Amino acid sequence: KKRVAIFISGGGSNMVRLVEDMADPNHPAEPVLVLANSADAGGLAKAAAMGVPVVSVDHRPFKGDRPAFEAALQAELDKVTPDILCLAGFMRVLTEGFVAPWEGRMLNIHPSLLPKYKGLHTHARALEAGDAEHGCTVHMVTPLLDDGPILGQARITVQTADTPDTLAARVLTQEHKLYPACLRRFAAGDTTRVDL
Ligand code: GAR
């Protein structure tokens, strides 16, 4: 099986779905580590309860020294030798120094239909633009933020009564389907696009 590490920053609902999916004995991958950039990340307890090793590497003591923070992240990965790294709501920007060695083996989920709305506040921006459609994207990570080859997208229809919060909730439901589907294919060596 392919060994998967997952980086989170918060509640980790996408991480939970990935771990749940990997519980299938026929899944081509298994979770070997969940890492958060804060000990407060709610997802850590959920991962531990599912029997996945967890660790936190707090970014704050590094005071903006990204290379030093990233060296600490890589040191944790070196202990568990993952084949694949999944970012799942990891809210720290990773520099080229960290990303380049992982290129082709690192995935991210982003709450917009990329290439639209890279960065933050994607739901408010889709509403403001008057988009009829919105959604989420799983892509391979390259040194450019929210860029890189797309592995899958899930779409929702924007309703007139939608707010950023209602959109976020509907997109998150789709994220929970899209990310496990993409990881399954990717871990099996299949980069065919998933569309939901
Ligand atoms: C998800 O909506 C994910 O797409 C988004 O954060 C949320 C994390 O939720 N990621 C980003 O915005 C990355 N820039 P979760 O912790 O419940 O999975």
Side-chain angles (χ1 to χ4, degrees):
K1 281 186 189 257
K2 290 281 164 51
R3 297 167 63 77
V4 176
I6 306 171
F7 281 10
I8 64 170
S9 292
S13 68
N14 278 290
M15 172 278 295
V16 168
R17 288 290 302 115
L18 293 177
V19 171
E20 283 174 354
D21 199 47
M22 285 187 275
D24 173 358
N26 294 319
H27 198 291
E30 61 183 346
V32 297
L33 182 69
V34 170
L35 179 150
N37 62 296
S38 163
D40 301 333
L44 288 174
K46 297 177 196 166
M50 293 186 291
V52 182
V54 297
V55 67
S56 62
V57 177
D58 195 325
H59 64 280
R60 286 164 293 194
F62 294 93
K63 296 186 188 300
D65 183 348
R66 288 188 193 268
F69 172 58
E70 292 172 353
L73 297 177
Q74 186 59 53
E76 292 301 333
L77 293 174
D78 290 342
K79 293 179 194 170
V80 294
T81 61
D83 301 300
I84 299 169
L85 173 53
C86 289
L87 306 181
F90 187 65
M91 302 307 280
R92 307 304 301 172
V93 170
L94 295 167
T95 71
E96 177 158 20
F98 181 88
V99 171
W102 280 98
E103 210 169 320
R105 301 183 295 146
M106 194 192 322
L107 311 186
N108 180 44
I109 187 155
H110 183 75
S112 77
L113 294 173
L114 290 174
K116 283 187 163 186
Y117 316 128
K118 299 176 182 185
L120 299 175
H121 311 301
T122 56
H123 309 300
R125 288 156 70 198
L127 271 185
E128 240 160 67
D131 291 356
E133 260 194 340
H134 184 44
C136 51
T137 303
V138 172
H139 64 97
M140 290 171 53
V141 176
T142 66
L144 294 177
L145 183 72
D146 299 329
D147 207 88
I150 290 176
L151 294 173
Q153 292 190 315
R155 287 158 199 282
I156 62 162
T157 302
V158 179
Q159 315 287 347
T160 43
D162 267 318
T163 66
D165 284 349
T166 63
L167 272 188
R170 282 214 310 294
V171 169
L172 190 63
T173 301
Q174 292 298 90
E175 294 184 44
H176 294 164
K177 297 178 187 144
L178 181 68
Y179 210 172
C182 290
L183 178 60
R184 251 181 202 261
R185 276 197 196 182
F186 184 76
D190 178 357
T191 52
T192 317
R193 218 184 126 101
V194 177
D195 279 287
L196 301 179

